[in-house]
Amino acid sequence: GGDAFGFASASFGLDDDGGGSAFGEPPRKAPRREPGNREGDWICPKCGNQNYKDRPVCNMRKCGAPRPGQERAEWSCPACGNRNYADRMVCNMRSCRAPRP
């Protein structure tokens, strides 16, 4: 087949499944999967946000609730309120560095 100018179409080995084009266009991103569709994804009990399975806390900016079953995995700094991983003995905020309670 040809186009409006009589030229044969060429694919240059690229597919229409996200590979970009032969003319220097960047490849299209793969569609992002919706949370809740993969095994292990979870819904925050505090705000109802759906989170990917690898998130230890809710990624909703105003929520940040811990994943159910991981309440003891982190601690909040009493001096600045920063959340710290359970293995930290001092707050990891550079301006704080308060000891773990």
Side-chain angles (χ1 to χ4, degrees):
D3 63 11
F5 301 105
F7 295 106
S9 60
S11 68
F12 298 100
L14 298 174
D15 300 324
D16 284 337
D17 63 355
S21 77
F23 302 104
E25 293 177 16
R28 286 175 264 148
K29 292 182 179 178
R32 188 170 178 164
R33 293 182 188 165
E34 290 296 319
N37 292 342
R38 297 184 302 175
E39 186 177 332
D41 289 351
W42 57 281
I43 296 176
C44 176
K46 183 176 176 184
C47 72
N49 183 50
Q50 292 182 333
N51 292 279
Y52 291 112
K53 65 181 176 183
D54 59 338
R55 294 191 189 278
V57 297
C58 179
N59 72 328
M60 199 56 125
R61 197 173 291 204
K62 293 183 179 181
C63 181
R67 181 179 181 157
Q70 293 187 352
E71 286 80 10
R72 292 181 225 63
E74 297 180 350
W75 59 276
S76 293
C77 176
C80 71
N82 182 54
R83 286 195 174 199
N84 294 280
Y85 290 116
D87 62 343
R88 294 190 189 275
M89 294 293 110
V90 296
C91 178
N92 72 331
M93 286 293 283
R94 289 183 187 179
S95 60
C96 182
R97 298 289 187 204
R100 181 178 181 164

